[in-house]
Amino acid sequence: MYKKVRSLIEISRPDLTLAGGLCVITGQIISMHGLPSPFVGLMGFLTGFFVSGSAIILNDYFDYEVDLINSPSRPIPSGEVSLSEALVLMVLFAAAGFLSAGLIDITPLIFALFIWLVSVLYNWKYKEAGLLGNMMVALSVAWFFIFGSATVGKLGNTMIWVWSAMAFLFDLGEEIASDAMDMEGDMKRSARTLPILHGKTYAIHVSTLLFMLFISMSFIIVLMNRNYLFIMIPLDLVVLYLSLKLLKSDNIEEGKKTIRMMYLAVTLFVGAFAVLSIL
């Protein structure tokens, strides 16, 4: 029983789902220049947590055959979690996310339903579509900040749209870089990813360019509020360092580790940005 529970937790990737909830809270804080009410904050966090968890589980469900090659130790390909169990867990996560959004208001519920449908379409039909699929995933990440703003009725806030654009660029770069690391499995399913069409080196250079655009946009944040300089400079330096490290990666495992480090580092800085916004 313990092993089963551990595998079910692993398939939802708590670090990524927690990051989703954190980004929603950050969107609320940036939009309000302060903390939301405890109820709206909690429901927003839970929506981000469960909707992202549902998409992640669905991704593993559809990636079963590819993960047999790329990640055979994952819960589904290893046999620790069955496909039917994963599907049930995905539905439960989605329902919890919709309930949390609906308890806030109808607009957040519509936003939650929209991005969940995008994730379903991506996993079902567009995962092999290459750049279009990458853009759908990046849109989903940018959505967290916009959704946070929607929960507090502040969609007109300019900074939240800049942050969302930065999130889109960063995640698009990360997705393309990840595709470069997963070429072998992607070839098995005839995916039309950027590295398969144009080569791994080309794809890594495109992802690096997107990371540089991310850094460039951070200066807009600083121009809007100089207080964020103390967050954006170290964030830019970390992204720059890891981007260069990714360019020099000579094996898949090292590349995957670098991408993971970059994601976790940016998530940490997002949290720091939220704290500074409160102060």
Side-chain angles (χ1 to χ4, degrees):
M1 178 61 71
Y2 171 77
K3 188 176 182 181
K4 173 66 71 175
V5 172
R6 185 183 64 183
S7 297
L8 290 172
I9 292 174
E10 182 183 349
I11 198 176
S12 69
R13 303 186 192 182
D15 56 333
L16 299 182
T17 51
L18 285 170
L22 174 62
C23 287
V24 172
I25 295 291
T26 302
Q28 294 174 333
I29 291 171
I30 293 172
S31 299
M32 296 184 66
H33 303 290
L35 288 170
S37 69
F39 178 78
V40 172
L42 177 60
M43 291 302 105
F45 175 86
L46 291 177
T47 302
F49 181 93
F50 285 116
V51 171
S52 62
S54 175
I56 288 167
I57 296 166
L58 191 62
N59 179 75
D60 277 15
Y61 176 86
F62 280 104
D63 265 2
Y64 168 67
E65 293 184 358
V66 176
D67 282 346
L68 286 173
I69 299 170
N70 289 337
S71 305
S73 62
R74 293 286 300 154
I76 295 179
S78 68
E80 294 177 2
V81 175
S82 69
L83 288 171
S84 59
E85 289 172 334
L87 200 58
V88 169
L89 187 63
M90 183 277 294
V91 172
L92 290 175
F93 266 61
F98 299 152
L99 177 62
S100 300
L103 288 174
I104 301 173
D105 202 350
I106 186 64
T107 300
L109 176 58
I110 293 172
F111 269 68
L113 286 167
F114 166 76
I115 206 63
W116 185 79
L117 288 174
V118 169
S119 72
V120 170
L121 285 172
Y122 165 76
N123 284 298
W124 180 36
K125 289 289 186 182
Y126 293 99
K127 188 184 291 288
E128 288 79 28
L131 188 58
L132 176 60
N134 295 147
M135 293 176 71
M136 292 175 75
V137 175
L139 173 64
S140 299
V141 173
W143 168 87
F144 288 113
F145 297 100
I146 298 171
F147 175 78
S149 187
T151 62
V152 294
K154 300 288 185 179
L155 281 172
N157 183 282
T158 304
M159 188 171 287
I160 202 67
W161 290 99
V162 176
W163 256 114
S164 299
M166 289 175 63
F168 178 87
L169 290 170
F170 177 80
D171 199 73
L172 183 57
E174 186 186 42
E175 285 294 313
I176 293 172
S178 295
D179 283 346
M181 302 301 125
D182 292 335
M183 287 179 64
E184 182 181 354
D186 288 340
M187 286 178 180
K188 295 291 183 179
R189 63 182 183 185
S190 302
R192 299 173 58 197
T193 64
L194 211 60
I196 289 176
L197 293 176
H198 300 286
K200 179 180 176 181
T201 301
Y202 177 87
I204 293 297
H205 279 85
V206 170
S207 68
T208 302
L209 174 61
L210 289 166
F211 294 140
M212 295 306 104
L213 288 173
F214 168 88
I215 291 173
S216 299
M217 286 202 70
S218 71
F219 290 101
I220 299 176
I221 297 289
V222 175
L223 288 174
M224 295 176 70
N225 190 329
R226 292 183 182 179
N227 291 326
Y228 294 123
L229 182 66
F230 301 103
I231 294 293
M232 304 315 295
I233 286 182
L235 171 60
D236 290 346
L237 289 175
V238 168
V239 172
L240 177 61
Y241 168 75
L242 292 175
S243 297
L244 296 175
K245 185 176 181 179
L246 183 62
L247 275 174
K248 297 176 181 179
S249 298
D250 55 6
N251 62 74
I252 292 175
E253 288 306 315
E254 182 183 351
K256 286 184 176 181
K257 183 178 179 180
T258 301
I259 293 169
R260 187 71 167 172
M261 288 172 60
M262 191 180 295
Y263 183 90
L264 293 175
V266 171
T267 301
L268 177 63
F269 277 105
V270 167
F273 190 90
V275 172
L276 186 59
S277 296
I278 296 170
L279 298 176

